[in-house]
């Protein structure tokens, strides 16, 4: 992973996350068993607005992985703090760069940031259909706590 470096910041990096977030949204559309329609209607502008609002009332950190010699992001993690809750809001690695440890590094960076603020309540939401990521998050001490049911209307 010597040819990868990390950029950290806040809302000024949101637009750099956009192309990868769109890949993540497509991934969620393909794995979702019931909510493809609502996922496909979600836009990056809506997600961006959500994150800007979170930053307005709390703290927001973005970590971006880029290849040396390029400023094109190959992975990112968006983390927020709202009162005493830290949340890994979004984490994605371009498929071509998975399985080399980038996800773990991004998680460690996010969790270290939360630790700097003494945040002991931490959360990650995982979409139904994306259960293959649960073992990854378990490595960092995250476990399922609740199942939230949502009605299709």
């Amino acid at each position: 992973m010597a040819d990868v470096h990390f950029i950290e910041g806040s809302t000024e990096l949101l637009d750099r996350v956009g192309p990868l977030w769109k890949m993540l949204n497509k991934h969620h559309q393909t794995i979702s068993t019931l909510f493809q329609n609502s996922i496909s209607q979600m836009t990056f502008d809506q997600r961006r607005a959500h994150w800007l609002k979170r930053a307005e009332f709390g703290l927001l950190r973005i970590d971006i992985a880029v290849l040396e010699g390029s400023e094109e992001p190959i992975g990112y993690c968006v983390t927020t703090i709202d009162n005493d809750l830290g949340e890994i809001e979004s984490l994605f690695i371009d498929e071509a760069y998975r399985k080399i440890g980038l996800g773990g590094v991004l998680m460690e960076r996010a969790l270290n940031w939360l630790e700097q603020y003494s945040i002991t309540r931490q959360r990650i939401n995982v979409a139904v259909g994306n259960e293959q990521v649960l073992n990854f998050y378990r490595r960092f001490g995250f476990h399922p706590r609740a199942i939230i049911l949502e009605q299709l209307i």
Side-chain angles (χ1 to χ4, degrees), residues 21 27 30 33 38-39 49 59-60 65 68-69 93 107 115 133 135 140 148 150:
W21 181 89
H27 171 70
T30 61
T33 54
S38 62
I39 294 169
L59 297 171
L60 180 134
E68 292 291 341
I93 308 297
M107 279 295 293
E115 186 177 311
V133 301
N135 284 334
F140 298 94
I148 298 170
E150 194 169 310

Coordinates of all heavy atoms in Angstrom, one line a residue, residues 21 27 30 33 38-39 49 59-60 65 68-69 93 107 115 133 135 140 148 150:
W21 N -19.2 7.7 -4.3 CA -20.5 7.6 -3.6 C -21.5 7.1 -4.6 O -22.3 6.2 -4.3 CB -21.0 8.9 -3.0 CG -22.3 8.7 -2.3 CD1 -22.5 8.3 -1.0 CD2 -23.6 8.8 -2.9 NE1 -23.8 8.1 -0.8 CE2 -24.5 8.4 -2.0 CE3 -24.0 9.1 -4.2 CZ2 -25.9 8.4 -2.2 CZ3 -25.4 9.1 -4.5 CH2 -26.3 8.8 -3.5
H27 N -24.0 0.0 -6.2 CA -23.8 -1.3 -5.6 C -25.0 -1.6 -4.7 O -25.6 -2.7 -4.7 CB -22.6 -1.2 -4.7 CG -22.4 -2.4 -3.8 ND1 -22.1 -3.7 -4.3 CD2 -22.4 -2.5 -2.5 CE1 -22.0 -4.5 -3.2 NE2 -22.2 -3.8 -2.1
T30 N -28.0 -2.8 -6.6 CA -28.0 -4.2 -7.1 C -28.1 -5.2 -6.0 O -28.6 -6.3 -6.3 CB -26.6 -4.4 -7.9 OG1 -25.5 -4.3 -6.9 CG2 -26.4 -3.5 -9.0
T33 N -32.9 -6.0 -1.8 CA -34.0 -6.9 -2.2 C -35.3 -6.2 -2.3 O -36.1 -6.7 -3.1 CB -34.1 -8.0 -1.1 OG1 -34.3 -7.4 0.2 CG2 -32.9 -8.9 -1.0
S38 N -36.1 3.4 -4.1 CA -35.8 4.5 -3.2 C -34.3 4.8 -3.3 O -33.8 5.9 -3.2 CB -36.2 4.3 -1.8 OG -35.6 3.2 -1.2
I39 N -33.5 3.7 -3.4 CA -32.0 3.9 -3.5 C -31.6 4.6 -4.8 O -30.8 5.5 -4.8 CB -31.3 2.6 -3.3 CG1 -31.5 2.0 -1.9 CG2 -29.8 2.7 -3.6 CD1 -31.0 0.6 -1.7
A49 N -26.1 17.3 0.9 CA -26.9 18.2 1.7 C -27.0 17.6 3.1 O -26.9 18.4 4.1 CB -28.2 18.5 1.1
L59 N -19.7 17.7 13.9 CA -18.4 17.6 13.2 C -18.4 16.6 12.1 O -19.1 15.6 12.2 CB -17.3 17.2 14.2 CG -17.1 18.2 15.4 CD1 -16.1 17.6 16.4 CD2 -16.5 19.5 14.8
L60 N -17.7 16.8 11.0 CA -17.7 15.9 9.9 C -16.2 15.8 9.5 O -15.5 16.8 9.4 CB -18.5 16.5 8.7 CG -18.5 15.6 7.5 CD1 -19.9 15.4 7.0 CD2 -17.6 16.1 6.4
A65 N -8.6 8.1 0.1 CA -7.4 7.3 -0.4 C -7.2 7.7 -1.8 O -8.1 7.6 -2.6 CB -7.6 5.8 -0.2
E68 N -0.5 7.5 -5.4 CA 0.6 8.4 -5.5 C 0.6 8.9 -7.0 O 0.4 8.0 -7.9 CB 1.9 7.8 -5.1 CG 2.0 7.5 -3.7 CD 2.1 8.8 -2.8 OE1 2.4 9.9 -3.3 OE2 1.8 8.6 -1.6
G69 N 0.8 10.1 -7.2 CA 0.9 10.7 -8.6 C -0.4 10.9 -9.2 O -0.5 11.4 -10.3
I93 N -14.6 1.6 -1.2 CA -13.3 1.4 -1.9 C -13.7 0.9 -3.3 O -14.5 0.0 -3.5 CB -12.5 0.3 -1.3 CG1 -12.3 0.5 0.3 CG2 -11.1 0.2 -2.0 CD1 -11.6 1.7 0.6
M107 N -11.0 2.8 8.2 CA -11.7 2.6 9.5 C -10.9 3.1 10.7 O -11.4 3.7 11.6 CB -12.1 1.2 9.6 CG -13.4 0.7 8.9 SD -14.9 1.6 9.5 CE -15.0 0.8 11.1
E115 N -12.0 8.8 18.7 CA -11.3 8.6 20.0 C -10.7 10.0 20.4 O -10.7 10.3 21.6 CB -10.2 7.6 19.9 CG -9.5 7.3 21.2 CD -8.5 6.2 21.0 OE1 -8.8 5.1 20.4 OE2 -7.4 6.4 21.5
V133 N -20.4 -7.5 4.6 CA -19.5 -6.5 5.2 C -19.5 -6.7 6.7 O -18.7 -6.1 7.4 CB -19.8 -5.0 4.8 CG1 -19.6 -4.9 3.3 CG2 -21.1 -4.6 5.3
N135 N -18.6 -9.1 8.8 CA -17.4 -9.6 9.4 C -16.3 -8.5 9.4 O -15.5 -8.4 10.3 CB -16.9 -10.8 8.7 CG -17.7 -12.0 9.1 OD1 -18.3 -12.1 10.2 ND2 -17.8 -13.0 8.2
F140 N -13.6 -4.5 14.0 CA -13.4 -3.2 14.7 C -14.4 -3.1 15.9 O -14.5 -2.0 16.5 CB -13.7 -2.1 13.7 CG -12.7 -2.1 12.6 CD1 -13.0 -2.7 11.4 CD2 -11.4 -1.5 12.7 CE1 -12.1 -2.8 10.3 CE2 -10.5 -1.6 11.7 CZ -10.8 -2.2 10.5
I148 N -34.1 -2.5 11.9 CA -35.1 -1.5 11.6 C -36.0 -1.9 10.4 O -35.4 -2.1 9.3 CB -34.4 -0.1 11.4 CG1 -33.6 0.3 12.6 CG2 -35.4 1.0 11.0 CD1 -32.7 1.5 12.4
E150 N -38.8 -1.0 7.6 CA -39.3 0.2 6.9 C -40.4 -0.3 6.0 O -40.3 -1.3 5.3 CB -38.2 0.9 6.2 CG -38.5 2.2 5.7 CD -37.3 3.0 5.2 OE1 -36.3 3.0 5.9 OE2 -37.4 3.5 4.1

